[in-house]
Amino acid sequence: MNKILKRNTDDVAARSDFYRNAFNSTRKFSYNTVKALAINEDQLKNILPVQVSNDILMEPITDSSIKAYATVSNKSGLEIPKLSIQLNGADYIDDDGTLQELNITGDSIQFKRYRQFIGIAITDTIYNALDDKFVSSVEQGLKTAVEAIELNNMFSLQPKYEHMSFYTCGIKEIQGNDIYETIKAAIKDLPNPIKRNAKIVINSDDYIALVELLASKGISNIPFKQEIVIEEKCVNPVVGDLSYLHINYDNKVNYDVQKSIKDGLYYFTLDFYGDIQIKLRSAFRIVSVNK
C-alpha cells in the first residue's frame, strides 16, 4: 500500500486542506493544518511545508528505486571532507585507484545549488476525491516527477551537468562482448570492500539478454551475489555501491498552482534546488558490451 495512505487521518486531512487551499489560491489554512504542518502563514504561503517537501523530495517511490540505496540529505551549503570517505566503514583504504582519486580530486566535495522545475496536472475528479485519494495523487505525482528528473540526470549520455551522470563523471568502463562475462569482470575490478555492498543497475532489455545468455550456457540462476536493480533509464549497466551516490536538496521548495481555462486542469508546479554527486567514482564500474 502507498506510504501516503498509511499516514494517520489527521495528517492526511491536514495535507488535503493544504493542497486544496493551494489549488484554489485562498491560502487560508485551518488551525489544525497550520499546527500539523508547521505552516507560517505570513512567510510560507508559496513555500512547501518542510515535512511535506521532505516527503516529496527525499522519500523514494518504491523500495527498488535508486533513491532507496543512495545517500539523501537536505542541507544548505553541504560540504563533505574527503577524509571522511571510507570504503564501507573500513578505517583504511588500500585500493590504488581509490587512493589516486582521493589525491587528485581535492580535499572536499562541495554540493552546489542547481535549480530544477517539475509539474503535474490534476483533474477536477481528483481534486474532488476523498482526502486520501487526493493527497496520494498529488504527492505521488510530484515524487514521480522529482525522481524522473533525477534519473535523467544520473543516466544521461549528454547531461546538462556532467558530474551528475554515471556516464560522464569519469567512472572506469569495463568493455566486453558478453554481458555476463563483462558484468563479472566489472564486479571483479571493484575494490574488495565495495563488492560486498555493490548493486547491479540494469535495464529490463539487458536483464532479459543476461538471463537468455545464461540459459544458453546451461545456467538456470543468475550467479551474482550482488542485488540486481532494474532501472529503465540505465543505458549501460552500472555496477557499484549506490551509497556513494549522494543527492542533496538545498533550502526551501517553492510551489505555484494555476488552473487552465483551456483544458480545465489544475497545474501544480514546484521549483527546488539540489545537487547530485558521485562521491567516489572508484566505487563504480560501467559495463559496456559490444553489440
Side-chain angles (χ1 to χ4, degrees):
M1 182 181 286
N2 191 292
K3 291 181 180 179
I4 294 171
L5 301 184
K6 292 183 179 180
R7 298 195 180 105
N8 64 57
T9 303
D10 290 340
D11 183 58
V12 172
R15 288 171 186 254
S16 175
D17 182 61
F18 170 79
Y19 289 125
R20 291 185 195 281
N21 278 286
F23 273 59
N24 64 31
S25 301
T26 64
R27 311 295 201 269
K28 297 294 184 182
F29 309 115
S30 72
Y31 171 79
N32 288 338
T33 298
V34 172
K35 182 179 178 181
L37 302 182
I39 297 173
N40 183 324
E41 289 192 90
D42 294 329
Q43 299 175 12
L44 302 184
K45 289 187 177 181
N46 289 96
I47 299 176
L48 232 56
V50 172
Q51 175 187 340
V52 177
S53 64
N54 282 352
D55 286 344
I56 290 170
L57 295 178
M58 300 179 70
E59 279 191 7
I61 295 176
T62 63
D63 292 338
S64 63
S65 167
I66 296 294
K67 191 180 261 183
Y69 305 101
T71 301
V72 183
S73 57
N74 188 357
K75 296 180 180 179
S76 181
L78 179 62
E79 185 171 342
I80 300 175
K82 286 290 182 66
L83 292 177
S84 69
I85 294 179
Q86 300 176 335
L87 295 186
N88 290 335
D91 292 329
Y92 63 94
I93 297 174
D94 58 5
D95 177 69
D96 291 340
T98 303
L99 288 171
Q100 182 180 13
E101 177 183 346
L102 294 177
N103 287 332
I104 66 175
T105 54
D107 297 329
S108 64
I109 299 171
Q110 296 178 332
F111 288 78
K112 297 182 180 179
R113 303 179 79 239
Y114 296 95
R115 193 176 189 181
Q116 307 279 7
F117 298 90
I118 62 168
I120 60 168
I122 298 292
T123 65
D124 278 322
T125 302
I126 295 297
Y127 178 82
N128 293 307
L130 296 175
D131 285 353
D132 56 357
K133 176 65 174 177
F134 175 56
V135 172
S136 176
S137 297
V138 173
E139 297 194 351
Q140 195 81 339
L142 293 172
K143 283 185 183 184
T144 300
V146 169
E147 290 205 0
I149 285 182
E150 291 168 348
L151 290 170
N152 283 335
N153 288 332
M154 294 174 201
F155 293 103
S156 175
L157 295 175
Q158 295 179 314
K160 184 176 181 180
Y161 308 109
E162 290 189 352
H163 72 280
M164 293 187 187
S165 173
F166 285 108
Y167 305 123
T168 58
C169 72
I171 292 174
K172 183 177 180 181
E173 188 174 295
I174 304 297
Q175 295 185 329
N177 298 315
D178 178 315
I179 189 169
Y180 168 59
E181 294 295 337
T182 311
I183 291 176
K184 187 165 66 171
I187 295 171
K188 184 177 180 181
D189 196 61
L190 287 170
N192 286 327
I194 294 294
K195 294 176 186 176
R196 292 193 293 268
N197 198 42
K199 305 287 188 294
I200 301 169
V201 185
I202 191 171
N203 64 46
S204 57
D205 288 341
D206 285 338
Y207 177 76
I208 292 171
L210 172 63
V211 171
E212 291 176 344
L213 178 62
L214 290 172
S216 71
K217 294 175 180 285
I219 303 173
S220 57
N221 296 314
I222 295 177
F224 302 125
K225 294 181 179 179
Q226 289 74 19
E227 180 181 350
I228 291 179
V229 179
I230 303 296
E231 175 47 58
E232 299 304 340
K233 294 286 185 181
C234 181
V235 181
N236 293 319
V238 176
V239 178
D241 186 344
L242 292 172
S243 68
Y244 289 99
L245 171 70
H246 192 143
I247 304 168
N248 183 62
Y249 302 104
D250 193 318
N251 242 324
K252 300 177 178 67
V253 179
N254 300 298
Y255 73 89
D256 188 28
V257 181
Q258 292 183 344
K259 185 171 184 178
S260 171
I261 61 174
K262 293 182 179 180
D263 54 23
L265 295 175
Y266 295 91
Y267 289 91
F268 197 112
T269 61
L270 298 181
D271 65 282
F272 61 94
Y273 294 86
D275 195 3
I276 300 174
Q277 293 279 349
I278 296 169
K279 295 186 293 189
L280 198 62
R281 296 193 300 270
S282 54
F284 298 93
R285 298 292 184 269
I286 303 297
V287 175
S288 180
V289 180
N290 299 322
K291 299 179 180 179

